[in-house]
Amino acid sequence: MPPPPPPPPPPSSTQATGTNGTSSSSTCTIELSDIIAPNSVLHHKQSSPNNITSSNKVKSTKSSTSIASIPHTRKSQDEENRSPQLSSDQVDELPEGAVIAHLQTWNNPPINKWRLLAAFFSFIILGMNDAAAGALIPYLEKYYHINFITISLIFLSPFVGYTIAAFANDWLHQSIGRRGVGMLASGFHLIAYILMAVHPPYPALVVAMCIAGFGSGCMDAAWNSYVGVMDRSNEILGLLHGMYGLGGILSPIIATSMVTHGLEWYTFYYIMIGGAALAVIFSGTAFWGESALKYRQDHPKTQGAKSGGRTREAMGHKVTWIIALFLFIYVGAEVSLGGWIVTFMIRVRSGDPFASGMVSAGFWIGLTVGRFTLGWVTGRFGETKMVTIYLLLSIALELIFWLVPQFYVSAISVALIGYFIGPLFPSAIAVETRIMPARLHVSAVGFAAAVGGSGAAIFPFAVGAIAQKRGVEMMHPLILALLVGQLGLWLMLPRKIPKTHAT
């Protein structure tokens, strides 16, 4: 009598048993990482260190899989709708090679808390950079003895830097990683502020603005794409851009106070040098682990990717152009208002320099409060509906600002315009990251932010050129047209925006 066959070997530690207790040699690996496969992806939100992390792997059979090793936490209904948990049936149906993508949160992994603080601080410096020019225009005119058209070059020159950044962002991320891009962006700010602080001839000041524009374009792409794929990205993007607005508040107040107390305009940039130097240190420290190798591992090239680079691939999507043009017009309106409001209030509303400077601060305060508060409202009721409402209210307020010639009415109107346009930029970025494939986020967001930055250059320059011939009050028809244009572009987006990030 032949001996009985030996029992089958137990499953190894690298081979999971199926739901019926059997195992199979035909297995696939489900990577729980930020890298998202082009097919069969389920999102999983990290909610605690005990949840799935990017280093965990689950081996499964193609027919059945045990999910005993995947811990679950109880979530609210809203969280379940936004980031569904992995059920047993879903895992069983996963095809071979499927990848499960998780969404990071603001505090998980824990290093994210410090990274967000570094990004927030960098955006404060970015906001101070953009708001300073408008507050200092009257004093730059006197110092350099130049007219409106010439002074407007400080708005136009950053366009060159932003344009270069638009096409270099993906290559920079692939070459030096997020850590390198963050340090490089703040480093270019630092170089620009040193040049400004030595009050060079006006052409050199224009070149310094171009250098700062390149740093701003890199910073916009790096931190918007980083935050845009987090859980509750709309709210966190609102906070990020609220920090930009906070910088916009601080800059006119500090600059106006310094020059009205007898200091020269360029002394303001002594403060900016210190801020940019700290941003270099903070970005490098917090994002130390975000090397070029890690970025390439997290954002691999796919077989279906088009030739010519990811920026060109991103530009092949209609949504990229709609968002880019939306931000082009939005940033143009924002910086035109913030940049020329001091001059308008002095020359047209007959305000004194300090009070007019505070009106500029009021605009940036409104913008900041709007980003801090309305981001939660937008996330609750949806970007499609709320952005439309914000733009309609802004159009009505711009009409009041234009047609009611009272200093205080103008001050209140412009502050409320700032409040309602505040959430528009972060909402547009949040929508783009939910529609565009994950591998194109840096390229798409970087391109859109760079095109938006060019709006910050072109439209304020146009206001200056028009003001030279027709008066600065002619900015009102332009601002109104820009707000209407934003509304038209927003209505061109898909009516149903995905609730989860695109893969």
Side-chain angles (χ1 to χ4, degrees):
M1 181 176 184
S12 66
S13 60
T14 60
Q15 193 174 31
T17 58
T19 54
N20 60 358
T22 64
S23 63
S24 171
S25 60
S26 175
T27 62
C28 70
T29 300
I30 304 172
E31 293 281 357
L32 304 179
S33 65
D34 291 319
I35 308 166
I36 304 177
N39 300 311
S40 302
V41 178
L42 293 172
H43 287 279
H44 180 85
K45 185 187 93 173
Q46 288 184 321
S47 57
S48 73
N50 294 327
N51 274 25
I52 307 170
T53 64
S54 61
S55 61
N56 294 344
K57 295 183 179 180
V58 179
K59 291 280 189 173
S60 68
T61 65
K62 191 169 182 179
S63 60
S64 60
T65 306
S66 171
I67 59 168
S69 62
I70 304 180
H72 294 269
T73 56
R74 190 168 185 82
K75 298 182 181 180
S76 66
Q77 187 62 41
D78 287 342
E79 288 175 317
E80 291 290 347
N81 292 336
R82 182 172 59 252
S83 175
Q85 289 279 3
L86 211 62
S87 70
S88 177
D89 291 339
Q90 288 172 325
V91 176
D92 289 344
E93 294 173 0
L94 284 175
E96 186 171 359
V99 176
I100 304 171
H102 69 264
L103 296 180
Q104 294 189 18
T105 66
W106 69 271
N107 62 348
N108 192 24
I111 189 63
N112 279 0
K113 291 181 287 187
W114 301 106
R115 289 175 177 171
L116 283 175
L117 286 175
F120 288 170
F121 183 78
S122 296
F123 259 57
I124 290 174
I125 302 302
L126 180 60
M128 293 180 71
N129 173 82
D130 290 355
L136 293 174
I137 278 179
Y139 311 101
L140 289 169
E141 283 183 273
K142 294 178 182 178
Y143 188 85
Y144 287 106
H145 306 289
I146 50 181
N147 58 27
F148 277 155
I149 294 180
T150 307
I151 198 69
S152 296
L153 288 174
I154 65 173
F155 294 114
L156 188 60
S157 58
F159 168 70
V160 178
Y162 261 99
T163 302
I164 295 171
F167 293 97
N169 271 317
D170 184 64
W171 176 79
L172 286 172
H173 278 76
Q174 297 278 347
S175 301
I176 58 178
R178 276 203 177 98
R179 175 187 64 203
V181 173
M183 296 178 70
L184 182 74
S186 295
F188 269 77
H189 277 172
L190 180 60
I191 293 170
Y193 302 150
I194 291 173
L195 290 174
M196 295 176 197
V198 299
H199 48 98
Y202 189 70
L205 185 70
V206 173
V207 173
M209 291 290 185
C210 177
I211 294 171
F214 179 79
S216 299
C218 292
M219 189 176 293
D220 256 336
W223 303 152
N224 276 301
S225 60
Y226 169 67
V227 174
V229 295
M230 285 187 173
D231 184 62
R232 306 188 71 91
S233 59
N234 205 311
E235 291 88 336
I236 303 175
L237 280 167
L239 295 177
L240 178 69
H241 287 271
M243 296 300 168
Y244 174 90
L246 179 60
I249 296 169
L250 295 174
S251 190
I253 294 174
I254 296 171
T256 302
S257 299
M258 292 175 75
V259 295
T260 55
H261 284 80
L263 296 174
E264 291 288 353
W265 64 268
Y266 53 81
T267 56
F268 169 75
Y269 286 98
Y270 298 161
I271 297 173
M272 297 298 288
I273 289 171
L278 287 175
V280 172
I281 297 171
F282 291 166
S283 299
T285 304
F287 286 89
W288 190 256
E290 293 292 318
S291 63
L293 177 61
K294 184 175 187 301
Y295 183 84
R296 291 193 297 269
Q297 290 173 341
D298 289 351
H299 301 81
K301 293 183 179 180
T302 58
Q303 293 180 351
K306 299 178 181 179
S307 61
R310 290 177 179 170
T311 300
R312 181 177 297 181
E313 184 181 357
M315 291 170 65
H317 289 257
K318 177 182 176 182
V319 170
T320 300
W321 286 100
I322 294 176
I323 296 294
L325 291 173
F326 179 86
L327 294 182
F328 174 72
I329 296 176
Y330 164 77
V331 178
E334 175 193 290
V335 178
S336 296
L337 266 175
W340 287 101
I341 188 64
V342 176
T343 304
F344 175 84
M345 298 302 285
I346 291 174
R347 300 199 176 191
V348 180
R349 295 292 188 253
S350 303
D352 66 74
F354 184 80
S356 299
M358 293 306 100
V359 173
S360 176
F363 169 75
W364 291 104
I365 289 172
L367 188 105
T368 303
V369 174
R371 286 176 173 174
F372 281 140
T373 59
L374 293 181
W376 311 95
V377 178
T378 307
R380 177 80 171 89
F381 296 101
E383 292 87 357
T384 302
K385 178 193 300 182
M386 296 312 301
V387 169
T388 302
I389 293 173
Y390 299 151
L391 283 168
L392 290 173
L393 290 171
S394 299
I395 290 169
L397 288 164
E398 170 55 29
L399 287 170
I400 294 172
F401 181 27
W402 181 9
L403 301 175
V404 181
Q406 297 292 328
F407 184 91
Y408 292 108
V409 172
S410 297
I412 294 171
S413 298
V414 78
L416 289 174
I417 291 172
Y419 179 74
F420 286 114
I421 70 172
L424 301 188
F425 195 115
S427 295
I429 296 297
V431 166
E432 185 171 33
T433 58
R434 293 210 299 270
I435 295 176
M436 295 294 291
R439 70 179 184 280
L440 300 181
H441 283 169
V442 167
S443 298
V445 171
F447 178 77
V451 172
S454 66
I458 292 172
F459 289 111
F461 177 81
V463 170
I466 294 170
Q468 184 66 32
K469 293 186 176 181
R470 304 283 301 275
V472 72
E473 63 271 18
M474 292 305 296
M475 75 173 183
H476 286 298
L478 178 61
I479 298 298
L480 186 62
L482 293 178
L483 291 171
V484 173
Q486 289 175 66
L487 180 60
L489 284 167
W490 188 256
L491 295 176
M492 293 173 64
L493 287 170
R495 293 297 85 199
K496 293 183 179 180
I497 305 297
K499 293 183 179 297
T500 56
H501 294 88
T503 60

